[in-house]
Amino acid sequence: MPKADQTRWAMAMKKLMENKSGPQTSEFFRIAGYHGWPNDFCQHGQETFPAWHRGYMCDVEQALIKADKALGNDGNIGFPLLDWTG
């Protein structure tokens, strides 16, 4: 991933972590709650994990796109994937 894309991705993640109305009010905190504290909706070790995790990652990516747009970008951002063929 080019350095500029790395920086853009990191800035969007940082935007997700901004607390808007006091501690623990960020979008990142809301989504992280799926995995554990303060809620425990995580499905690790369950048959339902693949579908649950796919939905979880879609929610994270949609929030990342929204944060990227809030930073003045076009929202054409997502999770970097590893190329296992190279």
Side-chain angles (χ1 to χ4, degrees), residues 43-78:
Q43 298 295 308
H44 285 109
Q46 306 295 319
E47 290 178 7
T48 54
F49 176 77
W52 172 86
H53 198 263
R54 185 174 190 161
Y56 173 79
M57 295 308 291
C58 285
D59 196 17
V60 173
E61 196 161 50
Q62 289 301 310
L64 192 65
I65 289 167
K66 186 176 178 181
D68 187 57
K69 287 181 177 180
L71 292 169
N73 297 310
D74 62 6
N76 188 17
I77 191 171

Side-chain angles (χ1 to χ4, degrees), residues 8 16 19 23 27-28 32 52 64 68 70 74-75:
R8 181 176 171 182
L16 281 180
N19 289 311
E27 182 68 358
F28 183 86
W52 172 86
L64 192 65
D68 187 57
D74 62 6

